[in-house]
Amino acid sequence: MISDFRPRFQFRPSISDIEQNYASSRDALLAGNYELAAKLARDEDDLEILGCALIGCGAIGRGLKYLENSANSHGDTALFQAFAYWCLGDTDQAVHKLGSLAAGDLAVTARQFIQLISTDLTKVVIFYPPEFSPPPSDRSIPGLELREIYAVDFDPTQSLHEILEEGFDPDVIITLGLFGEKLPRGLTALDCQFVILAVDFDIYFAGQAEELIRADVILSACSYEHHGLTGIYGGRVAAFPGLSFDTETGYEGSGWRTKKDIDIFFSGRAFYRHAVEKARMLFRLATIDDPELNILIHHGYLNADDYRNYIERAKIVPIIHRFPFTITQGRFVSALRFGSTAFTDDGILPAVCLDISAGVSRKFDQDRVEEDLENILGNSDAVCKFALENETEIAKELDDLFWSPPEREERIIKFALFQTVLAGHPVPNQIQPRRADSMPAIATEHHQAEISFAAFLDKPLDLEIRRQTRLDFEAGLSLKANSLALRFNFARFLWIAEDRQTALAQFKIAADLCDSGAFDPLRDSLHSHLLQPLGDMMPYQEYYLRSVTDLLGKDSKCSGARAVIASTIATYQAVDKLQNNLLEDGIESLHQALVHFEDNFIALRLLTKAYAAAERPPNDIAAMFRQTLMLYPPFITELLPIGLMAERNIGRDSDALEWVKKWAYLMVRVDWGEANAHPIPDQTWEHAQHYFHRLPPKLYKQLADKFPDKVQITQ
């Protein structure tokens, strides 16, 4: 039955998978996975580890309070207390805490920490991305000599010594979200400690590889990132959920006093092919069969005022990401700040790092999302009452965890330097060897063909760029003929440049290289999922996920990632055959794409259309239609006519009505932002209109109100 159609998503790995790497909360703490350490410490009822873990997460005040009430039997505890007092500006108390370690196993670490905060003048260079506010010119941290460099204020083609004044040789370089060509050349080769905040490590593999492989310390925001970065790169990795450098801070709580006239609100990247789990979950929410619910999903980003206004009016804000929930997600912070119940998926629950504030969030169960929502919506008034009664404590917790500038940046700097001290004395069995210690250096310059391809994708009609890109690919392949990524990218370039026959010849060679050609996802760029000509043909998120899985599983061949590339190549080959009216040959190629990778929803979409064009049995067409939408339900708008005809032809008219109802809910409840973000074919309107009069009356009216040119209510 169509009523059982509930697209699911899964996290790879789950939090339970990550937990298996640690025997205890202390193991997770020493490894730098502070958010997970806090979860495990609560499970173990260990207040000492919990206090240290909260400090590591950024909740300085609450972490210290927990330590006041614990036995504090571990020497590591003094290190975290010292870091906390340093963040609060109490250097004397920090040094006092470290003094207790003078004669133990941590004596050397304690001395180095004391030297860092009170004795030596440590020279530190920090690079900030555009998301940060420009650093204040008069920032001063005792014990540190700072050079803070904003992204727009330097030329990355220069070396660091050309950017800095003569004679300033840094002891530590920290880059917060800048990597690759956005940094000065040769940065990782300097004789100093190098710290990098990884950004979307599972998406921007090739761009960050040089820095991540060479880093002494890698900073991340959550347990999932810590898990991936540790397993792939080794070395010291520290997850700091309180980073929030791209999130406004400061509790306001205005929404708890606002009339809640929106049941569910979401905005951001809602329905994109490179975020399939999120698309599945939001489709499921948008199509809940209750026309009385006021559900608003905005596909795209709103301005700050509108974003705040909608959150204030919403009873529930769902928090959905490609990896398990973490408190560092900006939408969660916004819900907490402005006053709305955060509806979270699987992951580390807010109650791990928050106390009172966790009472305004709820977790949903994958198997009963709709039922959980109904319960939460029915309890909305009680949540508002709870929030108002505990407003002071919620504000304190939020301000303790998510600091505001300029103290926020100072805490990040101190956290990074604290980790360099810990990195100098790794704990056996907790810190993996650095990847850089067992592999050759990456060339400091990207391959010219990749640079040219990026330029072409930016300006595809520029004939000179097109000519140069082709020459650079040919030159690169003359040196690396067995490079899978280079060959695959060359074929895609030729396809977009409309040299179809040469593209097909290159795709054929690339297909042969999928099994044994040279390939490393850390070094080989397949370019951005955000570029429509590429994203329309390749399931990028699945490529990223399988690359991570391969690398974590020590699959040196990266078989999973290769399979996605092979599936994409077969999809290109199928499109050429279908466009030349070779239906059966095209169908065969699409089946081959699914043999390589069965969840290739892009190939499934094409196969649904090809089955219809080839007049395959309606049962087969209906099954293909459902399978496609189970993986990527936004395709319903394009494929609805095919699905309706197939359902009717096999006598399932009631299911056809249910499909139209789901589509109508999606159209009514989603604001697609830009006019062409989700076009509706005329054929879809023509087939769907036969069912409009059988929709729930309120849904029928909502559809007519939103699309008056297409829907007229008839009695």
Side-chain angles (χ1 to χ4, degrees):
M1 292 289 293
I2 182 60
S3 58
D4 296 327
F5 180 81
R6 294 182 174 186
R8 298 178 61 86
F9 63 93
Q10 60 180 325
F11 295 118
R12 292 155 286 181
S14 68
I15 288 299
S16 335
D17 296 329
I18 298 173
E19 286 182 13
Q20 300 308 310
N21 295 310
Y22 305 102
S24 67
S25 59
R26 187 165 185 264
D27 284 351
L29 179 78
L30 298 179
N33 197 335
Y34 298 126
E35 194 176 18
L36 184 62
K39 176 189 182 300
L40 296 175
R42 287 192 186 270
D43 294 343
E44 298 164 4
D45 198 24
D46 190 325
L47 295 184
E48 181 178 1
I49 299 300
L50 176 59
C52 293
L54 288 175
I55 290 170
C57 287
I60 303 295
R62 285 188 304 115
L64 286 173
K65 284 186 178 180
Y66 274 105
L67 292 177
E68 289 173 2
N69 299 309
S70 67
N72 298 348
S73 58
H74 301 299
D76 316 293
T77 300
L79 294 174
F80 284 90
Q81 289 174 310
F83 167 66
Y85 285 119
W86 186 34
C87 287
L88 296 173
D90 192 344
T91 303
D92 291 340
Q93 184 67 5
V95 172
H96 173 71
K97 288 294 180 183
L98 292 170
S100 66
L101 303 175
D105 294 338
L106 295 171
V108 174
T109 305
R111 282 199 302 272
Q112 290 189 345
F113 201 176
I114 291 172
Q115 291 171 354
L116 173 67
I117 65 180
S118 66
T119 306
D120 291 345
L121 192 62
T122 304
K123 296 180 178 180
V124 183
V125 173
I126 307 112
F127 289 95
Y128 293 100
E131 297 93 306
F132 275 86
S133 301
S137 58
D138 59 347
R139 191 196 315 272
S140 175
I141 300 177
L144 306 181
E145 186 175 354
L146 301 177
R147 295 294 183 273
E148 300 182 84
I149 304 175
Y150 193 45
V152 299
D153 294 336
F154 71 95
D155 179 0
T157 63
Q158 295 180 308
S159 69
L160 181 61
H161 289 298
E162 290 174 312
I163 295 171
L164 298 173
E165 72 272 24
E166 187 175 351
F168 189 90
D169 296 316
D171 299 300
V172 182
I173 295 173
I174 304 170
T175 174
L176 300 174
L178 287 180
F179 54 85
E181 295 177 353
K182 298 176 183 178
L183 287 173
R185 55 185 174 82
L187 206 61
T188 57
L190 299 177
D191 186 19
C192 63
Q193 289 188 296
F194 183 73
V195 182
I196 179 172
L197 170 63
V199 177
D200 289 337
F201 84 95
D202 54 346
I203 292 178
Y204 300 112
F205 274 122
Q208 298 178 86
E210 179 180 357
E211 288 79 24
L212 292 175
I213 287 173
R214 298 291 153 188
D216 297 285
V217 174
I218 300 173
L219 306 182
S220 65
C222 67
S223 289
Y224 167 78
E225 292 180 331
H226 183 282
H227 174 73
L229 290 163
T230 299
I232 294 171
Y233 296 101
R236 179 72 190 175
V237 180
F240 187 35
L243 277 169
S244 69
F245 65 84
D246 58 350
T247 303
E248 293 185 28
T249 53
Y251 176 79
E252 298 187 23
S254 43
W256 304 122
R257 297 177 177 83
T258 302
K259 180 182 178 181
K260 298 289 190 182
D261 61 341
I262 299 174
D263 291 300
I264 301 172
F265 167 71
F266 180 93
S267 70
R269 294 188 179 277
F271 299 105
Y272 285 89
R273 297 185 188 186
H274 63 270
V276 292
E277 271 90 359
K278 184 188 295 184
R280 291 171 196 158
M281 189 64 205
L282 289 173
F283 178 87
R284 191 165 166 180
L285 296 179
T287 57
I288 292 174
D289 189 9
D290 183 352
E292 298 301 322
L293 289 178
N294 185 10
I295 298 174
L296 174 60
I297 296 174
H298 181 82
H299 177 73
Y301 293 103
L302 296 164
N303 64 53
D305 290 339
D306 288 342
Y307 177 63
R308 170 180 174 155
N309 175 263
Y310 281 122
I311 290 178
E312 289 173 340
R313 294 165 52 197
K315 296 176 183 176
I316 291 175
V317 174
I319 314 297
I320 306 167
H321 208 276
R322 69 182 181 279
F323 48 72
F325 172 77
T326 169
I327 57 169
T328 198
Q329 291 173 5
R331 194 171 288 105
F332 173 76
V333 181
S334 297
L336 202 62
R337 288 186 68 215
F338 300 136
S340 184
T341 299
F343 190 54
T344 69
D345 51 37
D346 183 36
I348 295 181
L349 301 182
V352 166
C353 293
L354 300 169
D355 293 317
I356 298 295
S357 307
V360 297
S361 67
R362 297 290 186 273
K363 179 182 182 295
F364 61 77
D365 186 321
Q366 175 81 227
D367 295 323
R368 42 173 295 126
V369 173
E370 294 76 9
E371 294 86 346
D372 288 345
L373 272 171
E374 183 178 355
N375 292 334
I376 296 169
L377 290 172
N379 199 38
S380 177
D381 290 344
V383 174
C384 289
K385 183 174 182 291
F386 171 86
L388 291 172
E389 290 173 348
N390 295 278
E391 193 165 29
T392 300
E393 288 303 313
I394 292 174
K396 285 181 180 178
E397 287 184 8
L398 187 63
D399 291 341
D400 181 45
L401 183 60
F402 299 108
W403 291 19
S404 299
E407 291 80 11
R408 176 181 64 188
E409 284 75 21
E410 292 181 14
R411 184 181 61 165
I412 293 172
I413 294 168
K414 291 176 179 179
F415 181 82
L417 294 173
F418 176 48
Q419 296 303 319
T420 65
V421 173
L422 298 181
H425 303 277
V427 180
N429 301 322
Q430 296 307 320
I431 306 299
Q432 299 296 319
R434 281 199 321 162
R435 191 177 181 91
D437 297 334
S438 61
M439 67 184 301
I442 295 177
T444 56
E445 298 296 332
H446 290 291
H447 195 285
Q448 188 58 46
E450 294 180 359
I451 297 172
S452 297
F453 190 24
F456 165 76
L457 292 168
D458 185 51
K459 296 182 178 179
L461 300 181
D462 188 308
L463 295 180
E464 177 54 30
I465 291 178
R466 183 177 296 197
R467 184 191 69 82
Q468 188 60 50
T469 301
R470 183 169 190 143
L471 290 174
D472 289 337
F473 267 118
E474 290 171 346
L477 286 167
S478 69
L479 300 173
K480 296 180 65 177
N482 71 329
S483 168
L484 170 58
L486 197 58
R487 188 75 64 176
F488 179 57
N489 284 337
F490 185 34
R492 293 193 295 171
F493 157 72
L494 293 166
W495 182 280
I496 299 170
E498 298 181 344
D499 187 349
R500 180 67 63 89
Q501 292 308 308
T502 311
L504 291 170
Q506 292 298 319
F507 275 129
K508 186 176 186 304
I509 299 173
D512 293 336
L513 293 172
C514 282
D515 182 59
S516 58
F519 174 66
D520 179 357
L522 289 183
R523 304 181 180 208
D524 293 332
S525 172
L526 296 191
H527 295 275
S528 178
H529 55 282
L530 298 176
L531 296 165
Q532 186 172 350
L534 304 182
D536 283 353
M537 293 294 289
M538 180 174 180
Y540 266 95
Q541 181 178 348
E542 300 298 338
Y543 167 75
Y544 298 139
L545 285 169
R546 275 153 181 74
S547 295
V548 171
T549 301
D550 290 342
L551 292 165
L552 290 177
K554 311 304 179 188
D555 178 355
S556 59
K557 190 176 178 180
C558 292
S559 306
R562 287 175 184 267
V564 178
I565 296 173
S567 183
T568 302
I569 291 171
T571 304
Y572 275 102
Q573 293 168 330
V575 168
D576 178 71
K577 293 169 183 174
L578 294 173
Q579 290 178 345
N580 285 288
N581 296 317
L582 300 172
L583 282 178
E584 293 304 326
D585 290 343
I587 288 171
E588 182 180 349
S589 291
L590 290 170
H591 279 296
Q592 187 60 43
L594 297 175
V595 169
H596 290 302
F597 172 48
E598 64 181 358
D599 289 344
N600 187 341
F601 59 92
I602 294 172
L604 283 166
R605 162 185 167 266
L606 294 170
L607 199 53
T608 302
K609 298 172 74 173
Y611 269 27
E615 299 182 351
R616 288 290 181 95
N619 268 315
D620 293 345
I621 298 173
M624 194 61 62
F625 172 72
R626 292 182 180 221
Q627 187 179 351
T628 303
L629 298 192
M630 188 65 79
L631 289 172
Y632 191 68
F635 281 153
I636 190 173
T637 297
E638 178 188 14
L639 300 180
L640 188 61
I642 295 173
L644 295 182
M645 286 190 291
E647 299 284 15
R648 285 198 303 268
N649 287 338
I650 55 179
R652 294 199 301 226
D653 188 64
S654 60
D655 280 5
L657 173 61
E658 288 296 315
W659 285 120
V660 173
K661 188 194 297 183
K662 285 188 177 294
W663 176 76
Y665 276 126
L666 187 71
M667 294 301 100
V668 165
R669 290 169 171 171
V670 177
D671 174 10
W672 295 97
E674 298 178 4
N676 295 322
H678 192 77
I680 306 174
D682 289 339
Q683 194 177 18
T684 298
W685 287 113
E686 292 169 7
H687 283 262
Q689 67 181 351
H690 300 294
Y691 295 87
F692 288 164
H693 67 286
R694 295 165 61 187
L695 296 174
K698 187 166 185 176
L699 176 58
Y700 189 6
K701 184 178 185 307
Q702 290 170 337
L703 195 65
D705 289 344
K706 189 167 183 177
F707 301 99
D709 295 339
K710 297 293 184 180
V711 183
Q712 290 80 40
I713 295 180
T714 58
Q715 299 301 322

